[in-house]
Amino acid sequence: RKEVEQDPGPFNVPEGATVAFNCTYSNSASQSFFWYRQDCRKEPKLLMSVYSSGNEDGRFTAQLNRASQYISLLIRDSKLSDSATYLCVVNEYYGQNFVFGPGTRLSVLP
Amino acid sequence: DGGITQSPKYLFRKEGQNVTLSCEQNLNHDAMYWYRQDPGQGLRLIYYSQIVNDFQKGDIAEGYSVSREKKESFPLTVTSAQKNPTAFYLCASSIEGQGNGYTFGSGTRLTVV
């Protein structure tokens, strides 16, 4: 079983739609969690950290369920500019390397 | 502005040749990392370093070498032993021990010709 798994894509949604991505991780001792966004042929960029209490940043909401070992990202009112690959990232121990999921590609269509 | 700089952006390597990819950061981050990304796939860890003069192998270290002589610099050498080096190489850094996210460089796209 892979350490970090994500919804297989791609997701093709119309502008204005709400879309949700899920991510599961295998190590119950994992400490910190992130969503990154990667545009085509560019480096990944931090979208948001994921906290146990859940957190929201504008149209983006991230949630963590430690008991079930999954993380979610919800995007409301999708924009064309949201088209990208979304990477789920898990840090198993503070100070150690991060484990990246394979990514889920989102295309927002006009 | 602080950041992490990779160079060159594009690199072409002949068969049997060693090449070195540069990664420099002025964020005062302790930890630095090298990842490889193949088309349509996730990132795979090559090497990482948590402190100067120390580094650890990642999941796919064979055919690569690194050094960490300065905190700011973590160059990656792709040796002739790496049989399939064509990929997108990403360098990242982070503050050690605080569970913060990575900051990535803009990447080097290596192609074997």
Side-chain angles (χ1 to χ4, degrees):
Chain A
R1 182 183 171 187
K2 293 181 181 177
E3 295 175 71
V4 179
E5 298 190 51
Q6 295 188 237
D7 287 334
F11 282 45
N12 299 314
V13 303
E15 271 189 286
T18 295
V19 60
F21 303 132
N22 291 313
C23 168
T24 58
Y25 60 95
S26 60
N27 187 341
S28 59
S30 296
Q31 297 288 340
S32 51
F33 311 88
F34 308 89
W35 283 102
Y36 275 74
R37 170 198 169 121
Q38 185 174 24
D39 293 295
C40 188
R41 302 176 73 83
K42 299 283 190 182
E43 75 275 22
K45 293 187 177 177
L46 181 64
L47 179 65
M48 57 198 306
S49 301
V50 186
Y51 305 120
S52 296
S53 55
N55 47 302
E56 188 173 307
D57 183 2
R59 298 181 293 108
F60 298 83
T61 300
Q63 299 219 315
L64 167 65
N65 185 319
R66 283 190 183 271
S68 301
Q69 295 178 212
Y70 82 78
I71 308 149
S72 64
L73 177 68
L74 184 77
I75 305 176
R76 290 181 298 278
D77 188 24
S78 300
K79 312 291 185 191
L80 295 176
S81 57
D82 293 334
S83 297
T85 296
Y86 290 84
L87 303 172
C88 174
V89 184
V90 175
N91 182 208
E92 297 189 333
Y93 306 101
Y94 285 125
Q96 302 297 316
N97 60 284
F98 293 10
V99 180
F100 285 77
T104 301
R105 188 158 58 91
L106 170 67
S107 293
V108 181
L109 308 172
Chain B
D1 286 341
I4 182 165
T5 302
Q6 287 186 243
S7 62
K9 191 175 179 68
Y10 298 97
L11 185 59
F12 297 90
R13 190 193 95 166
K14 293 181 180 179
E15 294 278 356
Q17 189 178 43
N18 291 357
V19 291
T20 297
L21 283 57
S22 170
C23 178
E24 304 275 334
Q25 54 99 359
N26 61 2
L27 299 165
N28 200 34
H29 283 175
D30 298 303
M32 297 187 74
Y33 311 81
W34 275 105
Y35 284 88
R36 168 183 173 139
Q37 187 175 37
D38 293 283
Q41 297 188 33
L43 279 68
R44 292 184 291 167
L45 182 66
I46 305 172
Y47 267 99
Y48 65 100
S49 168
Q50 295 173 311
I51 195 168
V52 174
N53 292 324
D54 186 55
F55 48 82
Q56 308 295 329
K57 292 182 178 180
D59 301 320
I60 55 164
E62 185 175 351
Y64 300 97
S65 65
V66 293
S67 62
R68 187 85 186 277
E69 297 176 3
K70 298 185 299 181
K71 187 175 184 177
E72 301 80 16
S73 178
F74 191 41
L76 174 74
T77 296
V78 185
T79 75
S80 56
Q82 171 49 240
K83 297 306 177 190
N84 185 23
T86 295
F88 186 42
Y89 290 87
L90 287 158
C91 180
S93 68
S94 71
I95 298 175
E96 174 69 11
Q98 294 188 24
N100 292 300
Y102 283 170
T103 299
F104 280 92
S106 57
T108 293
R109 202 163 294 276
L110 174 63
T111 303
V112 174
V113 296

